[in-house]
Amino acid sequence: MEESVVTFVLDHLAELVAREVNLLYGVEDRVQSLQYELQMIKELLNTTKRKKGMEHVVLNQIRDVAHLAEDVIDTFVAKVSIYKRRTILGRMLRAFGQARLLHHVAHKIDKLKTTLNEIHNNKDKYDAFKETTNQSAAEEKEENERLQSQLKKLRRNVEEEDVVGFDQDSKDIIKRLLEGGSNRKAVSIIGMGGLGKTTLARKVYNNNQVKQRFMCRAWVYVSNECRVKELLVNLLKHLMPNFKQQSKGKKSDGDINSLSEEELKELVRSCLERKRYLVIVDDLWKRQDWDEVQDAFPDNNTGSRILITSRLKEVALHAGHDVPHYLQFLNDEESWELFRRKVFRGEDYPFDLEPLGKQMVQSCRGLPLSIIVLAGLLANKEKSHREWCKVVGHVNWYLTQDETQVKDIVLKLSYDNLPRRLQPCFLYLGLFPEDFEIPVTPLLQKWVAEGFIQHTGNRDPYDVAEDYLYELIDRSLIQIARLKTNAGVKTCRVHDLLRDLCISESKEDKVFEVCTDNNILVPTKPRRLSIHDYRVHRRERKWLLKDFKLVRVLELAPMSCKKIPSNIGNFMHLKYLRIDSQYITFVPDSILHLWSLQTIDLGPWSQNTPTSFPVQVWKLKHLRHLSTRGPIKLRGSCLGSSEKMYNLQTISPLVLNKQATYLIEKGTFPNIKSIGLSVVFGKGQLSKLLQSVQLLRYLNEFVIVLPYRYDTIVTLHEGVERKNGCKPQELFESLGQFNCLTVLEINNVIDLLTCAITLPSNVTELKLKGISCISDEGMKCLGNHAKLKILRLFGFMLFSTQDSYDLTCVGGSFPQLEVFQMESLKIEKWNLGNGAMPRLQSLVISFCGRLDDLPNELWSLSDLKKVHVTKPSEQMIRILQNLEINNAVQLVIEDLPSWMDESDWKFFEYLMQG
């Protein structure tokens, strides 16, 4: 991690020199000289393999100096920037202070360079001492041998346990091994370290069917430090009966130990040549390791198989073209069964221990290795309520003690084998609370803001960050929690043990620190601070805002603040700002001082109350994403608005006042990909403005918020034309020219679906909200859109005065639709014609209480995978529970969604009844 720190500092200094050369006037030569020193230090780090003893001390010293250098330069740039913002009189009065500032920073840089030279000289002296004593190589070899011995011992302990679970997994693997043609084939099992890949492979290896099918079987353990010759020798121990005696004897001309790698491979090939064999290649880490050994396994046309276990998806795919078998975590029942067998060994146990035991097992999150190690610890303790109470709540602490070696097997091996570019991204996951579903989009934005995504060339750094995320997923370090409807990852999570590793490694390297109580006034100064306590006092928050002015990422959780601090402009290097609070409706002008800002996130879209934002948003020239809970209402004078925001890609809907209209017509957002327009009540300028929006050639996602009034009767009985002066046909005619659009959302559509409409030609995802009624004609027009893949229709949840209507999808309509969602619609009957929605995969129906049945044609759709119904009618529940459906279709009946409890629903019912 120390190497990464220096790399980040170097890149940051280079960025500052290139971008803000005018702010470094007077010290630019010293900054450049400091860059040269750090570059040499970086090369020194690249040649340092060991991270213990003196090397560890040196690395820590270099890291501290790199951090200090970054702070010195950042502080100087911030102060100069503040100085330049002053009036002419203010700058004259501060001229003496400016001279002192230059002298001060020059002195600090010189001192940093002296410190770096001293570290370098001390390192040279230590290296010379090592060469004379020749201690390094011997120590390193001894350490590696000790670690490998411990790992093998623990693996044997795990494999010797009675196997719990894996029944279906073993059936799937055995089927893959037995089926297929006569060509040699590789089958792979992948998953997180400690998940039981080796245990599953052993279960398959010893299966009677497998033994009968493959008369020749062999097992070879690879490890992350693969030595090809040693691997081949170990393989021959399984294949040659007299090999062990031969290898123990003295060397002779014909001794097998004297053979070269190629000769050993030839010997392995000769043992396997005419046999149907099964070889287990256990714990494969690198693609090149497979490339070096695979030619020892002949493709002899006898149906031979190779079973590979690995933590890395890319390795499994490289070794065999079949889709890998993804090993899952144990469920609660399997976890308790495994724990119980190990602790009590078949004996009866006190009834009062079961709740405690299950609570502890739950902390293992289904990881077999953790369960076995925990059980092993408790098996040797007194089996009493008093003793077990000591362990509850501290399971991870017990699991990660040195004597358990869990940290070495599950954690360190995977982390140490990460490419340097991925290490900081992985460690960053420790900032999030335990068992937290991490939203992917903000995570990628934070990685970019922190400077973790370097050297992207012409590629968008967010695309590179997404690649990094998938690499960590493929390495079994991140778990996918939820997918988007377009199959992208929506949320992810990290196992608690891996999260603990992130925290411990980061704390040691002063990368970040996590606080979980009110004692946040700690003497340490981490680069990043995560506080998992919403009871932060006002005094402590004031301290945070004062002492962390160099932060690049600032995120304040819900309820932690009710307004944006007026001094937010002092955070000169802020690149990512997230304040998730429903109370924020005003953004101060001082935010325009944050020239480095890339992301402003004020929470998910959830309300109609506007958020006031200064119109001079164009001053934030690096801004890429601006999202708010409600529409953005720009304020102030547009004077000087000729500048462009070339980096801006997404922005929440803009209230169409004169400021927003002016900026759009002036082309302020030339590269925007996602934008929204919130139409002001009673205004008729929408059609005209859409002509300007058409000029945005990169726009692919468009949101229109039509006028909305809280008066129930007005909302339901006024049409779109009366409310905004734009006829429905005219609106869609204007939108029809948006050929680049793929995602379209219209809020408060009211009666738009009661007439003929035409969508933009390339739209694949459509969301319509605030529907009061739907006609057959409107639904037919939607169904004729050939490219539509995702359709979401939302009504008014609170209004029950609407008339009911039927939903008719004629035969052959919606030819490409894959996802269909209906929510709060007053549908009484849904008709699905023959051949309609032939590719439908997912159906979601929520709060459609008047719909008592689903069309029979639905269950004959061959691609249908999931039907999810929330708060159905009583009759719908009875029909669905008695329905016989294809096993391939997952049917979920949910009384209430996770975000709503029974009291919430009763409140909604009360509102709906008037």
Side-chain angles (χ1 to χ4, degrees):
M1 187 61 191
E2 293 87 351
E3 305 94 315
S4 300
V5 168
V6 177
T7 300
F8 296 152
V9 173
L10 277 169
D11 289 333
H12 182 51
L13 292 181
E15 180 188 10
L16 279 175
V17 170
R19 192 181 72 189
E20 309 296 344
V21 63
N22 61 322
L23 297 181
L24 294 170
Y25 179 75
V27 293
E28 65 269 28
D29 56 338
R30 282 184 164 87
V31 173
Q32 195 171 51
S33 176
L34 181 60
Q35 282 182 273
Y36 293 151
E37 290 286 341
L38 287 171
Q39 188 65 49
M40 288 189 290
I41 289 292
K42 181 183 174 184
E43 294 305 317
L44 173 67
L45 289 171
N46 289 337
T47 59
T48 303
K49 294 183 178 179
R50 294 179 72 237
K51 301 294 172 69
K52 294 190 175 183
M54 181 59 72
E55 282 89 349
H56 184 66
V57 174
V58 171
L59 291 172
N60 284 339
Q61 290 175 343
I62 293 171
R63 177 207 61 214
D64 291 343
V65 174
H67 280 155
L68 189 56
E70 186 178 33
D71 289 350
V72 167
I73 303 301
D74 279 356
T75 304
F76 175 75
V77 170
K79 289 182 177 179
V80 172
S81 177
I82 293 171
Y83 167 80
K84 287 183 176 291
R85 292 205 309 265
R86 298 180 185 277
T87 63
I88 295 176
L89 178 61
R91 289 200 293 270
M92 289 175 62
L93 292 174
R94 294 280 180 170
F96 179 70
Q98 174 76 353
R100 287 184 60 188
L101 180 60
L102 283 170
H103 176 75
H104 178 70
V105 74
H107 174 70
K108 281 204 166 188
I109 291 176
D110 290 342
K111 194 171 180 180
L112 286 171
K113 289 168 59 180
T114 301
T115 304
L116 286 173
N117 284 327
E118 290 175 354
I119 293 172
H120 197 282
N121 292 336
N122 289 337
K123 177 71 166 56
D124 288 342
K125 291 177 184 176
Y126 176 68
D127 287 342
F129 171 74
K130 276 200 309 181
E131 287 178 10
T132 58
T133 59
N134 198 24
Q135 68 184 56
S136 177
E139 287 179 355
E140 189 170 350
K141 183 179 179 182
E142 183 181 343
E143 175 67 15
N144 285 336
E145 289 177 353
R146 183 190 66 81
L147 180 60
Q148 289 298 325
S149 174
Q150 288 180 337
L151 298 185
K152 289 179 180 178
K153 181 180 178 181
L154 183 53
R155 292 171 70 91
R156 283 196 302 271
N157 290 340
V158 173
E159 288 177 39
E160 286 169 4
E161 298 303 319
D162 292 334
V163 178
V164 171
F166 302 140
D167 290 336
Q168 189 58 48
D169 295 288
S170 61
K171 289 178 183 177
D172 291 344
I173 297 297
I174 291 169
K175 184 179 179 181
R176 290 196 192 195
L177 294 177
L178 300 182
E179 291 181 348
S182 59
N183 292 337
R184 188 197 76 180
K185 184 174 75 171
V187 177
S188 57
I189 304 169
I190 62 173
M192 175 181 167
L195 199 52
K197 300 181 296 296
T198 300
T199 305
L200 173 58
R202 184 71 69 184
K203 183 173 183 176
V204 170
Y205 186 76
N206 293 325
N207 178 268
N208 288 330
Q209 274 185 288
V210 172
K211 288 180 179 179
Q212 292 170 7
R213 174 72 174 174
F214 303 99
M215 301 305 291
C216 178
R217 294 176 304 128
W219 186 294
V220 60
Y221 173 62
V222 183
S223 86
N224 60 321
E225 294 294 336
C226 178
R227 297 176 178 85
V228 176
K229 188 170 182 177
E230 183 180 324
L231 184 150
L232 295 169
V233 168
N234 289 333
L235 188 56
L236 285 168
K237 290 179 181 179
H238 287 267
L239 300 173
M240 296 177 61
N242 299 323
F243 177 79
K244 290 183 180 179
Q245 291 79 4
Q246 196 174 357
S247 61
K248 290 178 181 177
K250 295 182 179 180
K251 286 189 177 182
S252 63
D253 292 339
D255 191 351
I256 203 166
N257 290 303
S258 64
L259 299 178
S260 67
E261 283 185 14
E262 284 304 317
E263 289 170 326
L264 287 170
K265 286 182 183 179
E266 185 57 40
L267 196 54
V268 172
R269 278 194 292 268
S270 66
C271 291
L272 299 174
E273 188 58 52
R274 291 180 177 81
K275 300 172 183 175
R276 182 190 295 128
Y277 61 84
L278 170 66
V279 175
I280 311 292
V281 180
D282 189 22
D283 204 22
L284 187 63
W285 283 84
K286 303 180 186 74
R287 291 189 298 179
Q288 55 266 37
D289 291 344
W290 170 253
D291 292 337
E292 290 184 14
V293 300
Q294 68 155 326
D295 55 342
F297 308 125
D299 189 353
N300 51 17
N301 233 21
T302 59
S304 296
R305 299 289 182 261
I306 301 168
L307 179 58
I308 295 166
T309 72
S310 180
R311 304 184 190 189
L312 287 73
K313 179 182 175 182
E314 66 163 357
V315 171
L317 290 175
H318 180 72
H321 299 301
D322 278 12
V323 176
H325 180 87
Y326 297 89
L327 194 55
Q328 303 299 314
F329 291 86
L330 298 180
N331 60 36
D332 290 343
E333 292 78 14
E334 292 169 338
S335 298
W336 169 246
E337 176 66 16
L338 178 59
F339 176 83
R340 186 183 61 77
R341 285 190 191 182
K342 172 66 176 177
V343 175
F344 301 108
R345 300 182 179 120
E347 297 178 1
D348 293 335
Y349 55 90
F351 181 74
D352 64 332
L353 290 184
E354 184 169 335
L356 286 175
K358 288 185 174 180
Q359 187 178 342
M360 287 186 287
V361 168
Q362 211 167 24
S363 298
C364 296
R365 300 288 187 262
L367 190 69
L369 178 62
S370 300
I371 297 168
I372 288 172
V373 171
L374 175 66
L377 294 171
L378 293 174
N380 297 319
K381 288 180 177 288
E382 179 186 340
K383 297 175 181 61
S384 66
H385 193 275
R386 178 178 59 85
E387 281 297 320
W388 281 28
C389 281
K390 295 178 183 178
V391 181
V392 170
H394 306 285
V395 170
N396 286 356
W397 183 87
Y398 281 96
L399 290 178
T400 53
Q401 296 306 295
D402 290 341
E403 61 268 18
T404 67
Q405 293 133 39
V406 169
K407 186 175 280 188
D408 289 331
I409 287 200
V410 181
L411 312 178
K412 286 290 287 178
L413 282 179
S414 291
Y415 174 69
D416 289 342
N417 278 273
L418 277 176
R420 244 175 235 167
R421 57 188 167 78
L422 295 180
Q423 287 182 348
C425 297
F426 172 65
L427 292 185
Y428 201 75
L429 300 173
L431 283 167
F432 298 93
E434 188 174 285
D435 202 32
F436 179 70
E437 278 197 20
I438 305 168
V440 164
T441 299
L443 175 65
L444 303 185
Q445 292 171 348
K446 290 172 188 174
W447 282 354
V448 173
E450 294 284 8
F452 296 159
I453 314 300
Q454 304 289 348
H455 312 300
T456 61
N458 294 326
R459 291 193 65 196
D460 188 314
Y462 292 90
D463 290 340
V464 178
E466 189 173 39
D467 290 346
Y468 285 11
L469 174 76
Y470 282 106
E471 281 194 66
L472 290 171
I473 291 172
D474 290 346
R475 288 172 172 270
S476 306
L477 288 170
I478 292 181
Q479 305 159 35
I480 297 174
R482 280 189 287 170
L483 291 170
K484 298 178 183 177
T485 49
N486 64 359
V489 181
K490 186 175 184 178
T491 62
C492 62
R493 61 162 57 97
V494 62
H495 193 277
D496 290 349
L497 287 179
L498 290 172
R499 175 180 174 271
D500 288 345
L501 171 74
C502 295
I503 293 173
S504 62
E505 290 287 314
S506 296
K507 186 173 183 179
E508 182 179 345
D509 288 334
K510 298 182 181 177
V511 176
F512 69 75
E513 209 162 306
V514 173
C515 298
T516 55
D517 53 34
N518 281 330
N519 185 27
I520 63 169
L521 299 175
V522 289
T524 59
K525 286 192 175 182
R527 311 303 293 174
R528 298 160 189 90
L529 183 65
S530 181
I531 303 171
H532 300 165
D533 191 338
Y534 297 115
R535 299 169 297 169
V536 179
H537 299 305
R538 192 171 185 177
R539 174 176 59 88
E540 293 166 336
R541 191 183 303 123
K542 192 173 181 180
W543 165 78
L544 286 171
L545 296 177
K546 177 184 176 184
D547 279 23
F548 284 81
K549 288 183 179 178
L550 298 178
V551 297
R552 290 175 176 79
V553 170
L554 178 62
E555 179 170 11
L556 301 177
M559 307 305 294
S560 62
C561 69
K562 294 189 176 182
K563 69 175 184 177
I564 298 179
S566 58
N567 65 341
I568 192 71
N570 292 336
F571 290 77
M572 294 302 302
H573 300 284
L574 203 61
K575 292 187 176 182
Y576 178 96
L577 173 65
R578 175 176 168 81
I579 304 178
D580 189 359
S581 174
Q582 60 180 328
Y583 302 105
I584 292 177
T585 57
F586 182 86
V587 179
D589 288 357
S590 62
I591 203 167
L592 300 176
H593 298 152
L594 305 179
W595 77 77
S596 295
L597 262 183
Q598 297 175 355
T599 298
I600 302 175
D601 185 353
L602 301 182
W605 179 273
S606 60
Q607 60 192 34
N608 290 290
T609 306
T611 301
S612 178
F613 202 97
V615 71
Q616 294 177 319
V617 61
W618 64 79
K619 289 186 176 181
L620 301 173
K621 57 184 179 180
H622 297 287
L623 191 65
R624 303 173 68 93
H625 306 283
L626 172 56
S627 61
T628 53
R629 280 183 172 267
I632 298 171
K633 188 173 184 178
L634 298 175
R635 66 174 189 272
S637 171
C638 294
L639 189 64
S641 63
S642 59
E643 294 188 44
K644 310 288 186 186
M645 298 184 71
Y646 290 104
N647 291 301
L648 191 65
Q649 295 185 4
T650 64
I651 187 170
S652 288
L654 297 169
V655 173
L656 286 185
N657 56 12
K658 63 180 181 180
Q659 289 93 337
T661 303
Y662 183 78
L663 293 187
I664 291 172
E665 291 179 342
K666 291 282 289 184
T668 307
F669 319 118
N671 298 321
I672 198 82
K673 294 180 180 179
S674 174
I675 194 171
L677 302 179
S678 180
V679 183
V680 180
F681 185 82
K683 301 291 182 180
Q685 79 278 32
L686 179 59
S687 294
K688 178 187 173 186
L689 191 62
L690 288 176
Q691 296 175 9
S692 298
V693 179
Q694 287 176 26
L695 302 177
L696 302 174
R697 55 179 179 163
Y698 298 107
L699 187 68
N700 60 37
E701 184 171 346
F702 193 28
V703 179
I704 298 177
V705 183
L706 295 174
Y708 177 88
R709 296 217 303 215
Y710 292 98
D711 183 335
T712 304
I713 298 177
V714 172
T715 302
L716 294 177
H717 295 287
E718 281 193 337
V720 169
E721 180 178 357
R722 181 179 166 189
K723 291 186 118 184
N724 63 71
C726 175
K727 294 181 179 180
Q729 292 90 339
E730 292 176 354
L731 172 62
F732 280 100
E733 189 175 320
S734 300
L735 288 173
Q737 307 303 314
F738 286 69
N739 295 325
C740 55
L741 277 189
T742 59
V743 180
L744 175 63
E745 176 179 338
I746 304 179
N747 291 353
N748 308 317
V749 302
I750 311 173
D751 61 349
L752 276 181
L753 288 179
T754 60
C755 58
I757 59 175
T758 304
L759 298 177
S761 58
N762 290 307
V763 165
T764 59
E765 181 173 350
L766 176 66
K767 179 188 288 187
L768 300 176
K769 300 176 72 174
I771 298 170
S772 62
C773 49
I774 303 175
S775 70
D776 291 350
E777 183 183 19
M779 205 62 189
K780 183 179 179 181
C781 291
L782 282 184
N784 288 337
H785 188 71
K787 295 186 179 180
L788 198 61
K789 291 186 175 181
I790 301 171
L791 176 61
R792 306 184 193 279
L793 303 178
F794 294 78
F796 292 94
M797 185 172 187
L798 299 183
F799 306 137
S800 60
T801 59
Q802 308 172 48
D803 295 330
S804 298
Y805 50 87
D806 293 344
L807 193 70
T808 300
C809 303
V810 299
S813 60
F814 301 100
Q816 300 294 328
L817 196 68
E818 297 175 358
V819 177
F820 185 30
Q821 181 177 3
M822 296 186 286
E823 183 171 312
S824 304
L825 298 179
K826 304 307 175 184
I827 303 174
E828 280 199 351
K829 187 177 181 182
W830 177 21
N831 302 307
L832 190 64
N834 289 327
M837 301 186 180
R839 299 193 176 184
L840 188 67
Q841 298 178 17
S842 176
L843 172 66
V844 181
I845 302 176
S846 305
F847 304 106
C848 296
R850 301 185 187 185
L851 182 64
D852 288 333
D853 197 3
L854 297 178
N856 293 328
E857 292 81 1
L858 177 70
W859 309 110
S860 63
L861 299 178
S862 58
D863 289 346
L864 189 64
K865 296 177 181 175
K866 185 173 183 179
V867 175
H868 192 133
V869 185
T870 300
K871 203 64 182 177
S873 67
E874 294 296 329
Q875 183 175 333
M876 174 82 81
I877 293 176
R878 287 194 297 271
I879 290 175
L880 292 179
Q881 288 177 341
N882 296 321
L883 191 67
E884 291 187 11
I885 58 175
N886 190 325
N887 290 333
V889 179
Q890 180 187 4
L891 176 62
V892 179
I893 304 174
E894 188 176 38
D895 185 47
L896 288 175
S898 58
W899 53 268
M900 180 184 288
D901 58 27
E902 196 62 40
S903 60
D904 293 329
W905 175 247
K906 288 181 179 178
F907 176 68
F908 276 111
E909 281 189 317
Y910 169 75
L911 292 175
M912 292 169 70
Q913 293 167 4

